[in-house]
Amino acid sequence: MTSSSPSPVHTIEDYSPCLWVTPKVHLRFELDPHLTVVRAEYEVSFLGDTLSPLFLNGENLEFLSLRLNGTVVDPSEFEITPSGITIFNPPSREFQLTIENRICPSENTSLEGLYQSGSMLCTQNEPEGFRKIVYSIDRPDNMMRFFVTLAGDPKYFPVMLSNGNLIKEFGLSDGKKEVIWEDPFPKPTYLFALVAGDLVETNDHFTTKSGRRVELKIFVEKGNEEKVSFAFDSLKKAMKWDEDTFGLEYDLDLFMIVAVEDFNMGAMENKGLNLFNAKLVLADKKSATDETFESILAVIGHEYFHNWTGNRVTLRNWFNLTLKEGLTVFRDQWFTEDMTDPSVKRIKDILFLKEHQFPEDQGPMAHPIVPKSYTEMNNFYTVTVYEKGAEVIRLVSEILGRETFKKGLELYLNHYDGMGVTFEEFVSSMEEAYGKPILYLRNWYHRSGTPMIDIKKHFDPKEKEWVFTIQDTKPDPYPLIFVNSYAAFDAKGNLIAEGKRIQEGAVDEIRLKTKDGNLSEPIVSFFRGLSSPVLFDAPMTKEEMRILAEQEPDGVSRFFSFQNLIFLWINESIRKGTSSDTLSDILETLRFSFQKNWDKTYFSFYLLFPSLTQISEHLQFYDFPKLETLRKFAITEISKTFTKEFQILYEENRKTIPVQTKEEIGKRRLKNAALYYLLYDPSRNFERLAVTQQREAKHMSEEIAPLRYLIELDSKEKDSAVTHFYDRWKEDSLVLDVWFAAQVATGRNRANDVITLEQHKKFNKKNPNKVRSLYFSFARNPLSFHDVTGSGYKLIADRIKELNGLNPQIAAGLTKLFSSASKQEGELPKIAKRELEEIQNLPNLSKDLGEVVEKIIKSL
Ligand code: TRP
Ligand code: ZN
């Protein structure tokens, strides 16, 4: 391999505090999509002992000029490299530095730094995008007051925004407009934002608990102004919830959100000026699914909550990303639990964790939630940092109890307001509230991999107790603390004991006294609600599993017990080579569930048969064609057994009102679940029902589900359903994302569909939402991606090569989907390796991609 200079690896041991800082900056932008001039005027300050050279980061910048204390600097006094500028002999401990450069936003397809999206210019600076805008000390422990002047042609940029408060707006003699923004709160570069464009402003307001009026504004591209009301409602709910739950009030008089079409991730918490992927702001009942509405609520909450956990108290370095992300995900999960249904929300979060985080933690990209090293920080915005990080915070809240946890957070925010800290400061605040140390908690931040917990039972005749031994199978060198919420039942399903054990270290015991002389074995439900993010194996018979799947009063554990019964059936069927009789247990439990009057949304989850990916991850079995045969067999049996029940369920929930209430969402979900099973009826009698539902739908959740099901089944109605949907939605780019995705997300041999669809005039490789819809959806479809011929790998590898030059962050994200290749059957690991090695040999390989490819190749 011919690689010029390898990218530096940043390790946690190498971290040292900033010696040079810039507490204040005046930024001036002459905005133009093709050539924007940026000038930064820093107040520079030295914090060390003896003066050292000053380095400013800067990438892809065209240098114009440098002045120190107003005087132009001789070129011999500094050096410019592709990563920045070094000033050899700074004049004193404090001075003024003015530096000017030019950039070209319209050619920036990485969507990091200042770039063009549609008719607007906007920024993305987390984690290290600011250095692509202007020379700067671009690290989170360098915090500064920002004073920002934006100058531009009002014809193209009637709206010009930045963080904080609008100070002045005036016309210039040359017809240009100038706007001045000032942010009173010091912040690191990654929280800086700028937006300029011909945008429509929509308005609302919120009155804080202390009676202050906050103006709320959402900016959208023309034509989308009718799609913001749900986002405003979500924002007001989030603001109120943070006041009610944590006493946290918003701290500026203005809060702005901008909806951006081309966006690498979900959303970004820039101070006072959140930028959002348009798909997480814009929604109306016709074009958005119930899932989209819930994502909008959660992400608006998430970014808003960052104002305290992330912005007011920020990070010392990127290793501690989980300090703001894990904590803020935990806060947004709690928020959604309060706004919707706690059990259903917890089920969704656990399913997500198991489907995405557990595999990451056991694959080539595994890392502790505080990583030890990184080459490209963008690669560490992972489900481990976010979701496992949130699980550890949840663990803390379970150990302390939610009220004490609130106190801990209050201590943390009071103590470290305005500072950049690490997870250690968070933990110590929690310990302060708790009144004692939390043993082994810190190890959760350093140990990678999902803890495997082994549970064994025996009877202690002397004490007349059943003893359960709970053991962490790999405690060294990082023993952990666990919360184990459990409940014990008798053979009839009556609750006989309940508790919450805090396990410090490798082993714990749960002892259950038998009621006088009654020695019957208790059935125990462990880690209820997944009270610790672990995989556990408890000794249990089918019959016992069934009791929990039916009787466990905790809905979350009841749900997962039923899932386990399904996994057990699949496992036995694989082992015996024939479908095992456990299916009758599944059918009996389903029969039982039909008689219950469970919450509609809850029941719809209970009815959902696990996906191929969920099954394979759970069983560590990757013969997808075989799993598909088994899965289809089971679904068909369920369908045949309960045709009547599903018909009734469908009818009962047929009429829905297109509003976002718990009742109507539940009805739509149940109706779709019933339709899914009915479509598997061998008579194929119900396809008309699907077609009719799609055509008469008043809500996107009713419209998209039949389309997805007809595609999954390769129904004869599929093509006309696809065309019909397109004709109705061809002008709505966000709905087309869903349409693209649906066509490749299920079924075999979708590689050809990808090749056809990427030629479609509405497809665009430069738009991450489109790339996610087509390439990511395809690569998450195991039947197609892991096709034995390797056609899926070849297709995705070729697309990664193209994306490497366009958008390295997205290219690296797509590459991560090769992580499961090493577990596949036959030639597949070898084929994957060959494809990835070709990528590795690209002449212009980005550091994002280089880091990921290298790790995955090592696993192959
Ligand atoms: N901090 C963002 C969040 O709330 C995530 C983020 C990181 C991001 N990098 C980004 C968003 C790049 C958009 C683009 O989780
Ligand atoms: Zn976040």
Side-chain angles (χ1 to χ4, degrees):
M1 212 184 87
T2 54
S3 162
S4 47
S5 61
S7 310
V9 182
H10 305 274
T11 63
I12 195 161
E13 289 85 20
D14 289 350
Y15 170 81
S16 64
C18 236
L19 287 182
W20 287 103
V21 291
T22 54
K24 203 165 150 192
V25 62
H26 277 91
L27 289 173
R28 187 187 163 83
F29 290 83
E30 303 280 345
L31 293 167
D32 182 311
H34 305 295
L35 201 60
T36 289
V37 180
V38 193
R39 190 182 70 211
E41 229 175 87
Y42 294 107
E43 268 179 21
V44 187
S45 219
F46 187 69
L47 304 177
D49 296 331
T50 31
L51 282 190
S52 53
L54 165 61
F55 177 74
L56 302 176
N57 303 92
E59 286 172 16
N60 300 321
L61 305 177
E62 186 193 338
F63 173 81
L64 292 177
S65 73
L66 170 69
R67 283 160 205 265
L68 301 182
N69 293 325
T71 311
V72 177
V73 183
D74 188 86
S76 66
E77 310 263 308
F78 62 90
E79 181 191 33
I80 294 175
T81 66
S83 63
I85 181 168
T86 306
I87 297 153
F88 302 123
N89 291 304
S92 50
R93 297 180 69 90
E94 314 229 318
F95 60 94
Q96 213 189 46
L97 183 156
T98 309
I99 193 159
E100 234 182 337
N101 65 274
R102 293 198 293 207
I103 45 178
C104 178
S106 64
E107 274 173 21
N108 179 358
T109 57
S110 73
L111 312 188
E112 207 186 26
L114 181 67
Y115 66 92
Q116 182 168 16
S117 174
S119 62
M120 77 174 92
L121 294 182
C122 63
T123 54
Q124 172 55 42
N125 294 321
E126 185 180 5
E128 297 177 334
F130 197 70
R131 62 188 65 181
K132 293 176 155 194
I133 297 177
V134 63
Y135 290 96
S136 60
I137 300 172
D138 188 13
R139 42 188 284 175
D141 54 357
N142 175 35
M143 292 168 63
M144 53 192 119
R145 291 274 315 267
F146 280 82
F147 301 82
V148 180
T149 303
L150 305 174
D153 184 340
K155 203 164 102 220
Y156 301 108
F157 306 120
V159 173
M160 291 192 271
L161 313 171
S162 192
N163 319 81
N165 302 314
L166 177 63
I167 303 298
K168 250 206 287 200
E169 197 167 358
F170 49 93
L172 297 177
S173 52
D174 59 359
K176 282 195 175 167
K177 194 170 90 164
E178 216 167 276
V179 184
I180 298 178
W181 290 85
E182 190 182 317
D183 184 353
F185 295 96
K187 63 172 180 291
T189 48
Y190 85 86
L191 289 172
F192 168 77
L194 174 175
V195 173
D198 189 2
L199 302 171
V200 185
E201 174 181 324
T202 62
N203 294 283
D204 204 333
H205 69 92
F206 177 79
T207 308
T208 68
K209 61 173 180 164
S210 69
R212 236 170 1 93
R213 183 183 158 105
V214 179
E215 298 303 326
L216 310 178
K217 297 178 194 284
I218 298 180
F219 295 87
V220 298
E221 303 250 23
K222 286 203 177 92
N224 288 332
E225 50 275 27
E226 302 300 318
K227 287 184 164 190
V228 297
S229 68
F230 189 83
F232 272 129
D233 287 346
S234 304
L235 178 58
K236 289 183 284 184
K237 282 182 183 161
M239 295 176 90
K240 179 81 168 58
W241 183 86
D242 222 13
E243 291 185 347
D244 293 347
T245 312
F246 291 106
L248 297 173
E249 204 175 315
Y250 185 60
D251 54 8
L252 288 163
D253 299 330
L254 173 63
F255 188 85
M256 298 177 283
I257 288 176
V258 182
V260 185
E261 304 270 335
D262 304 288
F263 209 68
N264 276 351
M265 304 243 258
M268 181 61 215
E269 70 265 23
N270 317 296
K271 182 77 187 189
L273 178 56
N274 286 359
L275 263 61
F276 270 65
N277 188 323
K279 76 171 173 193
L280 290 164
V281 182
L282 306 175
D284 59 30
K285 63 191 181 194
K286 285 217 176 74
S287 64
T289 62
D290 292 319
E291 287 70 32
T292 300
F293 280 109
E294 195 174 305
S295 305
I296 291 174
L297 177 77
V299 179
I300 293 227
H302 179 97
E303 306 309 331
Y304 175 74
F305 302 145
H306 268 315
N307 191 57
W308 282 97
T309 50
N311 300 4
R312 285 290 288 262
V313 177
T314 192
L315 309 177
R316 186 168 302 160
N317 55 49
W318 291 115
F319 300 102
N320 283 280
L321 179 61
T322 197
L323 174 68
K324 74 178 175 80
E325 295 305 345
L327 177 54
T328 305
V329 170
F330 174 67
R331 273 151 54 67
D332 86 54
Q333 291 177 347
W334 187 345
F335 169 59
T336 302
E337 282 171 16
D338 285 354
M339 295 298 126
T340 59
D341 177 307
S343 298
V344 170
K345 172 61 176 162
R346 188 65 186 139
I347 288 172
K348 290 182 193 173
D349 289 338
I350 297 171
L351 285 173
F352 185 85
L353 191 78
K354 290 190 172 183
E355 185 167 339
H356 300 282
Q357 200 279 323
F358 283 15
E360 177 170 279
D361 232 350
Q362 290 149 50
M365 303 303 298
H367 55 276
I369 53 185
V370 171
K372 290 187 179 27
S373 70
Y374 62 85
T375 301
E376 169 53 61
M377 190 53 212
N378 270 320
N379 288 331
F380 286 83
Y381 287 75
T382 61
V383 281
T384 298
V385 168
Y386 276 64
E387 273 71 24
K388 187 179 181 180
E391 291 298 319
V392 174
I393 307 285
R394 180 179 297 268
L395 199 70
V396 175
S397 80
E398 290 287 327
I399 295 167
L400 272 62
R402 291 214 166 174
E403 289 315 307
T404 309
F405 178 86
K406 288 178 193 174
K407 262 191 229 128
L409 192 71
E410 191 186 322
L411 289 171
Y412 166 73
L413 294 176
N414 282 334
H415 203 128
Y416 302 107
D417 191 9
M419 296 166 67
V421 298
T422 71
F423 84 90
E424 179 55 45
E425 280 72 29
F426 175 81
V427 171
S428 59
S429 297
M430 286 295 156
E431 290 178 327
E432 192 181 334
Y434 193 38
K436 56 182 174 187
I438 311 171
L439 194 64
Y440 300 141
L441 177 63
R442 288 161 182 81
N443 283 345
W444 276 102
Y445 290 88
H446 300 305
R447 170 165 153 183
S448 75
T450 309
M452 312 278 182
I453 306 294
D454 187 48
I455 303 176
K456 295 227 160 29
K457 70 174 166 189
H458 73 270
F459 188 70
D460 177 345
K462 221 171 78 212
E463 300 292 332
K464 288 200 170 33
E465 281 173 342
W466 282 98
V467 185
F468 290 84
T469 313
I470 292 120
Q471 183 150 18
D472 178 1
T473 54
K474 200 179 159 290
D476 294 327
Y478 295 115
L480 301 173
I481 185 167
F482 304 94
V483 173
N484 192 345
S485 294
Y486 67 91
F489 304 87
D490 67 16
K492 290 205 181 73
N494 300 307
L495 184 72
I496 51 179
E498 210 171 0
K500 184 154 118 180
R501 288 287 300 186
I502 302 208
Q503 170 174 344
E504 292 170 332
V507 193
D508 193 28
E509 265 184 12
I510 293 177
R511 292 184 157 260
L512 295 168
K513 271 242 176 298
T514 54
K515 270 187 244 151
D516 8 270
N518 170 11
L519 299 185
S520 75
E521 289 190 38
I523 305 162
V524 186
S525 175
F526 292 103
F527 295 104
R528 292 172 106 193
L530 199 68
S531 52
S532 301
V534 299
L535 272 164
F536 61 98
D537 200 7
M540 202 170 291
T541 64
K542 277 192 279 224
E543 291 67 32
E544 292 175 330
M545 231 179 242
R546 254 190 79 185
I547 291 189
L548 294 185
E550 294 175 8
Q551 309 287 355
E552 161 64 292
D554 174 54
V556 180
S557 293
R558 193 195 313 136
F559 169 87
F560 284 101
S561 299
F562 183 48
Q563 296 257 306
N564 284 338
L565 196 59
I566 296 175
F567 294 136
L568 181 73
W569 172 76
I570 295 170
N571 211 8
E572 282 185 352
S573 305
I574 294 167
R575 215 161 27 82
K576 294 184 188 158
T578 156
S579 78
S580 103
D581 59 358
T582 315
L583 196 58
S584 60
D585 293 287
I586 293 174
L587 296 175
E588 284 315 305
T589 298
L590 277 174
R591 187 176 308 288
F592 172 90
S593 74
F594 272 110
Q595 285 144 26
K596 292 280 143 180
N597 222 338
W598 289 336
D599 171 82
K600 286 187 190 316
T601 304
Y602 177 81
F603 188 35
S604 75
F605 271 91
Y606 199 87
L607 286 175
L608 266 188
F609 204 88
S611 69
L612 285 177
T613 308
Q614 289 168 335
I615 298 168
S616 70
E617 286 303 344
H618 189 89
L619 302 179
Q620 305 283 309
F621 181 78
Y622 298 90
D623 182 343
F624 287 104
K626 186 176 221 161
L627 286 181
E628 195 213 15
T629 309
L630 280 168
R631 185 175 184 272
K632 286 200 157 160
F633 171 80
I635 294 175
T636 307
E637 288 304 302
I638 294 171
S639 174
K640 285 191 320 208
T641 314
F642 299 109
T643 316
K644 211 89 260 106
E645 283 80 355
F646 284 124
Q647 278 180 292
I648 294 170
L649 201 59
Y650 191 88
E651 278 313 314
E652 282 174 354
N653 295 286
R654 184 177 202 134
K655 285 212 189 67
T656 66
I657 310 164
V659 292
Q660 296 314 115
T661 59
K662 198 165 180 290
E663 173 70 13
E664 298 304 317
I665 294 169
K667 281 174 140 183
R668 283 189 285 273
R669 285 199 57 102
L670 264 188
K671 158 169 146 177
N672 286 338
L675 178 66
Y676 183 76
Y677 281 103
L678 288 173
L679 284 171
Y680 271 86
D681 187 275
S683 71
R684 295 281 179 267
N685 275 340
F686 297 96
E687 295 190 355
R688 292 308 309 165
L689 196 61
V691 172
T692 311
Q693 178 176 322
Q694 185 196 335
R695 307 222 164 175
E696 291 175 358
K698 292 193 216 65
H699 190 288
M700 185 47 76
S701 274
E702 297 174 317
E703 188 168 353
I704 191 73
L707 178 68
R708 288 191 180 131
Y709 303 164
L710 294 170
I711 292 169
E712 176 178 325
L713 280 165
D714 274 316
S715 151
K716 60 184 188 318
E717 304 291 345
K718 170 186 155 179
D719 291 345
S720 77
V722 168
T723 310
H724 185 268
F725 191 97
Y726 177 76
D727 287 340
R728 191 162 134 83
W729 291 108
K730 53 178 174 279
E731 298 312 329
D732 191 322
S733 167
L734 293 175
V735 179
L736 288 186
D737 289 343
V738 180
W739 178 79
F740 279 113
Q743 293 178 71
V744 298
T746 56
R748 300 180 186 217
N749 301 321
R750 298 300 190 217
N752 293 328
D753 298 273
V754 172
I755 290 162
T756 312
L757 285 167
E758 66 187 350
Q759 305 301 324
H760 197 284
K761 61 176 186 285
K762 299 283 183 180
F763 185 76
N764 171 11
K765 277 194 185 69
K766 289 188 181 160
N767 177 264
N769 286 355
K770 291 283 176 293
V771 170
R772 277 184 280 261
S773 297
L774 205 53
Y775 302 152
F776 281 68
S777 299
F778 171 83
R780 290 197 172 104
N781 168 354
L783 276 176
S784 281
F785 184 52
H786 301 298
D787 185 280
V788 286
T789 64
S791 61
Y793 291 179
K794 172 118 197 55
L795 175 71
I796 292 303
D798 286 347
R799 299 308 173 269
I800 290 168
K801 288 176 205 161
E802 274 179 83
L803 287 165
N804 173 56
L806 279 177
N807 189 328
Q809 203 183 333
I810 297 292
L814 190 54
T815 310
K816 285 183 183 176
L817 300 179
F818 275 97
S819 292
S820 58
S822 66
K823 300 170 179 164
Q824 306 303 317
E825 318 254 313
E827 294 294 292
L828 283 173
K830 242 192 263 162
I831 300 174
K833 188 169 186 190
R834 220 170 39 228
E835 293 296 337
L836 293 176
E837 279 169 350
E838 259 185 50
I839 293 175
Q840 202 174 30
N841 287 327
L842 287 177
N844 59 343
L845 184 68
S846 63
K847 74 171 166 165
D848 305 56
L849 207 40
E851 184 177 27
V852 174
V853 164
E854 186 184 323
K855 286 186 182 167
I856 301 178
I857 286 178
K858 277 194 189 140
S859 75
L860 290 164

